[in-house]
Amino acid sequence: MIKENRKILVCCGTGCLANNSYDVYTQFLEKLKNTNIEVIPQVKATGCNGLCEKGPVVKILPDEISYFKVKAKDVDEIVLKTILKGEIIDRLLYFDLNDKKRIVSHKDANFYKHQHKIALRNIGEIDPKDIDDYKKRDGYKALHKALFEMTPDEVISQIEDSHLRGRGGAGFPTGNKWRTCSNYNNNPKYVVCNGDEGDPGAFMDRSIMEGDPNTVIEGMIICGYAINSNNGFLYIRDEYQLARKNMQIAIDSAKEHGFLGKNILGSGFDFELEIVRGGGAFVCGESSALMASIEGNVGEPRAKYIRSVEKGLWDKPTVLNNVETWANIPPIIINGAEWFKEIGTAKNSGTKVFSLVGKVKNTGLVEIPMGTTLRELVFDIGGGIIKNRPFKAVQTGGPSGGCIPAEHLDISLDFDSLSNIGSMMGSGGVIVLDDTTCMVDLARYYMEFLSEESCGKCTTCREGINTMLNILNNIILGKGKLEDIELLESLSETIQEASLCGLGKTAPNPVMTTLKYFKNEYMDHIINKKCSAGVCKTLTSYSIDEEECIGCGACEKKCPTSAIIGEPKKPHIIEQYKCIKCGSCFSVCPTGAVKIGGALIESYNK
């Protein structure tokens, strides 16, 4: 029997769109239109469901059936079996690798059931282009409450009492920022959203703007009311085309419904919002560089003793928060500060959104209470390491973050705990690393990224990062010297102390944390001319242990240069002059007979 309130939700976030989810969405519309169904289910294109690698994701409500990796060709079967007959299609269900079973509702999967969603509360549940969908889930109720039931001072007090800290990286108390800005009478004042998410592997803010743009808008309007500002700007990086599109649709819809513009909801309060496209410069994620870019100037930072709450955009008082911070404002206003403080820890209230990527089985978007351990994130929610390889570390906080080794797996994921071990929360990017990751090469990669992204204003940042990069390049090429370790440490301290903005001050973090926790890998590269992970090709060689080789031929078939020879069921050998050190043999060997060694003397001498 067809249920009258049945909905088919198709994920059309960027990740699923890359796997042709829009074809799935349009195929559902076409199939249902041409099928004799008395009550046609609603089909909605939603934002990201979180479990990105399993997309496209289709949810059928109220049945709570979730299908993963759905293709357009599966739509006919879903309509005929699940929609018309109520049958479950097993092959499309989520298979939990750890529990070894298929799960009908995504809510029962380990990836989802450990989460607590506040900022992501609507994503995957609503059509982000339909403001009515947002309103049905308490959308704009917080704005109505703020305008008609609270004074500006009471709104700020609520945010102060919630202990909400900025989710963009630094973790500065949001209420303090609003309070300070409200005390300045130098009008006009501005409200700014930082949507210039530039960390490699991070997609938290993008997913919120794509999947629930109205919650960002509502949060910014409430702030405008609280600090007496009538103008706001959304700074969104140019690459985020879908985010900009959905945000603009939401702005236009909010104006049509009286939530933006003149005399909002008849309250007498005016507020306008405008989108500004960022040019893709990583440094423009820094507050003062971002504001310079909005003004039409070169995106360069300025000295931090000039506070943006006093002199920000066009030298006027400005509140700048990132996307996730704004998304937390409406629920706090509706539910109260005490409700928010019950989640998380004493000094780190609420939840945090992470993008979980790297060598982990379940990659995607995750929102968990502050204080959740790293172990729970990686092994319970993430499902553990791909192919059950040894866990080596996680890199948190983007290019300027640090690497956290296995000895800190039980650390609390909050601003203070991460800072205490030399890492940082950052915007929430978490990259999981296994034993095939070379920590020296990882540090080199981030220094190369930061060298390219430095605005060049500070000599210490511009020249210091480049010098560190050159040293790391020499180390991975087998040209490193023991004194390079001390020089890297000295340069790190100088860059941290003398750089003007956050990019320079935190740039040495990847090098400092890898030196602190993985110094043995640096020494191995310098003294033994060996990369134990097999990443640095100059310092890597592969060989086959005759006693462990079973002659299965898997490595021989995989080798792209036919460098491996041998008879079936007999030990194989690698002809070194043909080997390009791609590591394919190592990755496919079922017995571990392929061994990673250091640089061959003859090739190193060349």
Side-chain angles (χ1 to χ4, degrees):
M1 181 178 177
I2 302 298
K3 299 178 182 178
E4 291 189 9
N5 60 342
R6 179 172 272 165
K7 297 178 183 177
I8 300 173
L9 307 180
V10 182
C11 175
C12 286
T14 294
C16 285
L17 285 175
N19 282 315
N20 303 311
S21 66
Y22 192 73
D23 292 343
V24 176
Y25 170 70
T26 55
Q27 187 65 23
F28 267 115
L29 294 176
E30 188 66 25
K31 179 65 178 177
L32 291 169
K33 183 175 68 175
N34 296 314
T35 302
N36 187 20
I37 300 179
E38 185 177 344
V39 181
I40 299 177
Q42 284 184 295
V43 182
K44 292 184 177 291
T46 74
C48 175
N49 273 279
L51 197 53
C52 302
E53 67 164 321
K54 301 294 184 183
V57 182
V58 172
K59 292 192 294 187
I60 300 170
L61 303 177
D63 311 74
E64 290 294 348
I65 298 170
S66 304
Y67 289 143
F68 295 83
K69 293 190 174 181
V70 179
K71 297 179 175 59
K73 64 182 181 181
D74 298 320
V75 170
D76 286 1
E77 185 179 5
I78 293 172
V79 171
L80 294 175
K81 289 185 177 179
T82 305
I83 303 300
L84 293 176
K85 299 178 182 179
E87 298 176 6
I88 302 295
I89 304 171
D90 285 349
R91 63 182 175 80
L92 295 177
L93 295 175
Y94 173 72
F95 182 75
D96 194 299
L97 291 171
N98 289 342
D99 292 343
K100 304 296 182 185
K101 65 179 181 180
R102 296 196 178 276
I103 297 170
V104 175
S105 173
H106 72 282
K107 293 180 180 179
D108 296 324
N110 284 322
F111 180 84
Y112 290 101
K113 66 184 181 183
H114 290 272
Q115 297 190 45
H116 187 132
K117 295 190 176 184
I118 298 177
L120 304 181
R121 63 195 180 279
N122 296 324
I123 302 178
E125 305 294 331
I126 64 171
D127 180 350
K129 297 184 290 296
D130 188 348
I131 195 171
D132 289 330
D133 265 16
Y134 180 68
K135 290 168 65 178
K136 288 174 184 175
R137 293 175 65 90
D138 293 336
Y140 290 107
K141 285 187 178 179
L143 176 61
H144 189 279
K145 179 179 179 180
L147 292 177
F148 297 104
E149 300 177 30
M150 304 172 74
T151 65
D153 182 76
E154 288 173 335
V155 171
I156 295 174
S157 295
Q158 188 86 283
I159 303 304
E160 285 177 322
D161 293 344
S162 73
H163 297 168
L164 171 67
R165 298 172 67 170
R167 299 313 198 230
F172 189 81
T174 303
N176 289 13
K177 184 183 292 187
W178 290 22
R179 174 71 67 189
T180 306
C181 188
S182 71
N183 289 334
Y184 289 106
N185 296 316
N186 185 17
N187 291 324
K189 298 178 183 179
Y190 297 103
V191 177
V192 179
C193 172
N194 183 350
D196 192 63
E197 183 176 53
D199 294 355
F203 49 92
M204 300 77 59
D205 291 348
R206 186 196 73 197
S207 297
I208 294 172
M209 290 187 288
E210 288 177 358
D212 192 14
N214 280 285
T215 193
V216 180
I217 294 170
E218 186 174 12
M220 294 180 72
I221 302 169
I222 290 170
C223 177
Y225 169 71
I227 68 168
N228 190 28
S229 167
N230 304 114
N231 293 281
F233 293 91
L234 289 139
Y235 189 84
I236 305 174
R237 67 189 300 108
D238 193 49
E239 296 91 333
Y240 284 2
Q241 296 182 26
L242 182 60
R244 291 201 321 273
K245 176 184 175 182
N246 286 357
M247 285 299 316
Q248 189 61 59
I249 291 171
I251 288 172
D252 295 341
S253 297
K255 287 180 179 178
E256 292 174 6
H257 285 72
F259 300 124
L260 267 178
K262 301 291 184 182
N263 192 24
I264 294 174
L265 299 177
S267 65
F269 173 64
D270 305 336
F271 194 79
E272 299 286 349
L273 263 181
E274 178 183 341
I275 293 175
V276 178
R277 294 165 63 171
F282 180 72
V283 73
C284 285
E286 194 274 340
S287 59
S288 59
L290 182 152
M291 292 180 203
S293 180
I294 292 177
E295 293 168 357
N297 299 317
V298 175
E300 290 182 343
R302 68 183 185 188
K304 279 296 184 182
Y305 64 82
I306 305 172
R307 300 183 63 193
S308 59
V309 288
E310 179 184 1
K311 291 184 177 181
L313 197 58
W314 289 293
D315 283 334
K316 297 295 183 180
T318 303
V319 165
L320 183 146
N321 288 123
N322 86 317
V323 172
E324 185 185 342
T325 310
W326 292 122
N328 276 280
I329 300 302
I332 292 173
I333 296 300
I334 290 176
N335 299 302
E338 292 303 317
W339 163 81
F340 192 75
K341 285 194 292 187
E342 289 176 359
I343 306 161
T345 65
K347 295 182 180 179
N348 294 267
S349 300
T351 59
K352 181 71 189 80
V353 180
F354 294 97
S355 61
L356 184 63
V357 297
K359 301 296 182 66
V360 66
K361 293 176 183 176
N362 299 326
T363 59
L365 200 63
V366 175
E367 185 172 5
I368 51 178
M370 288 275 199
T372 301
T373 66
L374 180 59
R375 185 184 301 277
E376 185 177 353
L377 176 62
V378 174
F379 290 94
D380 293 340
I381 297 173
I385 310 302
I386 294 172
K387 295 183 179 180
N388 296 319
R389 297 196 69 87
F391 169 89
K392 179 178 273 190
V394 297
Q395 201 274 341
T396 65
S400 301
C403 296
I404 305 172
E407 65 191 79
H408 290 302
L409 264 173
D410 293 308
I411 192 171
S412 167
L413 289 171
D414 60 64
F415 293 103
D416 305 317
S417 299
L418 292 175
S419 178
N420 289 338
I421 61 168
S423 187
M424 59 189 292
M425 180 77 77
S427 59
V430 173
I431 302 174
V432 181
L433 313 170
D434 66 9
D435 62 333
T436 63
T437 302
C438 171
M439 304 308 288
V440 182
D441 183 66
L442 182 77
R444 182 208 60 79
Y445 165 79
Y446 282 118
M447 296 312 289
E448 183 177 47
F449 177 88
L450 292 165
S451 173
E452 293 174 353
E453 294 294 343
S454 171
C455 73
K457 188 174 183 177
C458 305
T459 304
T460 47
C461 180
R462 182 184 68 247
E463 301 300 330
I465 293 175
N466 252 327
T467 303
M468 292 180 73
L469 174 61
N470 290 334
I471 294 170
L472 292 168
N473 278 327
N474 282 334
I475 291 174
I476 68 170
L477 289 172
K479 301 175 183 178
K481 303 182 292 292
L482 281 175
E483 51 264 37
D484 288 339
I485 301 296
E486 186 177 346
L487 183 54
L488 285 171
E489 293 172 338
S490 175
L491 283 167
S492 295
E493 293 174 5
T494 302
I495 294 169
Q496 283 184 324
E497 287 294 324
S499 293
L500 184 63
C501 81
L503 186 151
K505 289 185 178 298
T506 58
N509 282 350
V511 176
M512 293 180 72
T513 53
T514 51
L515 278 172
K516 179 178 180 180
Y517 297 116
F518 300 96
K519 196 170 187 176
N520 62 308
E521 291 197 27
Y522 283 85
M523 304 304 286
D524 218 16
H525 280 63
I526 294 171
I527 298 173
N528 300 321
K529 308 302 179 187
K530 177 184 178 182
C531 175
S532 58
V535 174
C536 306
K537 292 187 177 182
T538 305
L539 304 182
T540 300
S541 63
Y542 292 92
S543 61
I544 299 176
D545 189 311
E546 292 185 6
E547 294 184 3
E548 296 184 30
C549 180
I550 60 175
C552 66
C555 59
E556 184 180 3
K557 294 174 185 177
K558 193 73 173 177
C559 181
T561 60
S562 301
I564 301 175
I565 58 174
E567 297 179 19
K569 298 184 180 180
K570 290 184 178 180
H572 285 45
I573 62 170
I574 299 175
E575 295 182 314
Q576 296 296 334
Y577 71 96
K578 291 184 180 179
C579 179
I580 60 172
K581 305 172 185 178
C582 65
S584 297
C585 54
F586 180 79
S587 63
V588 299
C589 180
T591 64
V594 178
K595 306 297 183 183
I596 298 176
L600 296 174
I601 299 299
E602 57 268 27
S603 63
Y604 177 66
N605 288 336
K606 290 178 183 178

